[in-house]
Amino acid sequence: AQTVTQSQPEMSVQEAETVTLSCTYDTSESNYYLFWYKQPPSRQMILVIRQEAYKQQNATENRFSVNFQKAAKSFSLKISDSQLGDTAMYFCALLIGNTPLVFGKGTRLSVIA
Amino acid sequence: EAGVAQSPRYKIIEKRQSVAFWCNPISGHATLYWYQQILGQGPKLLIQFQNNGVVDDSQLPKDRFSAERLKGVDSTLKIQPAKLEDSAVYLCASSLITGYSNQPQHFGDGTRLSIL
């Protein structure tokens, strides 16, 4: 069975600073996709960034980038120049073929002015 | 493009009552998902539809939960009778094609259900 683990229940960062959220996963498959979703208090899950496992290059999306270590099964999210609007729950998720998305338990990020 | 629409936004009921949630996916999205998100946890898939057929309902408590997507567009999720442990946010999501992650899942705002 596939699992996703987020070991940091809560984190905080000063505005304009950089923060890294950790995620590890477990699967025996070689082809899969990884995602980071953001869930603000409005509850809507918003896709932040995605990574295809067959791509060695780390995905980037403006201030968001990932450090994908396939051998270590690690998929961390780095947020640069943190903004107050980044305050939210962040979920790491794993998708393999036709199976459902598997989510971690989330990390609550607070950006402090 | 309009997003995934869900209603109601909030619902409070007593245990043993019934409740229904509605979801209208993004136009053209063949795949529709219902997730249950208990406080402090990540979403858990309840059921997945491809058009009007069920792809995966292995984690749906079928003794009390039911869902349908009769015309392959909007969907309803029903709980009857509700239990205290059903208190959660129920999220609906849709995507163009199952399993193609270059077509990611788009989520609605969810329905927060509280059972008294």
Side-chain angles (χ1 to χ4, degrees), chain B:
Chain B
E1 128 185 301
V4 176
Q6 286 190 250
S7 67
R9 189 126 168 90
Y10 302 92
K11 190 73 178 179
I12 301 173
I13 62 172
E14 294 185 350
K15 60 183 179 183
R16 291 188 289 274
Q17 286 187 324
S18 63
V19 64
F21 313 125
W22 174 82
C23 173
N24 191 20
I26 293 172
S27 177
H29 281 197
T31 307
L32 185 147
Y33 313 79
W34 282 103
Y35 290 87
Q36 180 191 59
Q37 185 178 17
I38 293 173
L39 186 64
Q41 298 183 19
K44 182 188 81 172
L45 182 75
L46 291 174
I47 189 167
Q48 177 182 337
F49 292 95
Q50 177 89 3
N51 296 309
N52 61 349
V54 175
V55 174
D56 184 347
D57 63 356
S58 57
Q59 297 192 79
L60 187 73
K62 298 180 186 63
D63 58 333
R64 298 183 300 105
F65 286 64
S66 64
E68 60 183 14
R69 193 184 184 199
L70 292 176
K71 296 182 179 179
V73 181
D74 56 351
S75 174
T76 55
L77 175 70
K78 296 179 182 178
I79 307 175
Q80 183 180 11
K83 291 186 175 181
L84 292 175
E85 60 259 36
D86 299 332
S87 292
V89 173
Y90 290 85
L91 294 165
C92 180
S94 69
S95 66
L96 277 171
I97 303 173
T98 301
Y100 284 72
S101 61
N102 59 338
Q103 305 291 348
Q105 296 182 28
H106 298 263
F107 286 80
D109 288 344
T111 297
R112 182 180 296 280
L113 175 66
S114 299
I115 312 294
L116 303 179

Side-chain angles (χ1 to χ4, degrees), chain A residues 32-35 37 39 41-47 50-52 89 91 95-106 108, chain B residues 4 9-10 35 37 40-45 48 55-56 59 89 91 98-102 104-112:
Chain A
Y32 50 87
Y33 300 83
L34 292 158
F35 304 85
Y37 279 91
Q39 189 178 41
S42 65
R43 298 202 302 265
Q44 186 178 30
M45 297 284 280
I46 302 165
L47 180 64
R50 60 177 175 260
Q51 174 82 41
E52 291 88 346
M89 284 290 291
F91 291 95
L95 177 66
I96 300 171
N98 230 22
T99 62
L101 266 175
V102 176
F103 287 88
K105 289 192 173 182
R108 183 178 303 279
Chain B
V4 176
R9 189 126 168 90
Y10 302 92
Y35 290 87
Q37 185 178 17
Q41 298 183 19
K44 182 188 81 172
L45 182 75
Q48 177 182 337
V55 174
D56 184 347
Q59 297 192 79
V89 173
L91 294 165
T98 301
Y100 284 72
S101 61
N102 59 338
Q105 296 182 28
H106 298 263
F107 286 80
D109 288 344
T111 297
R112 182 180 296 280

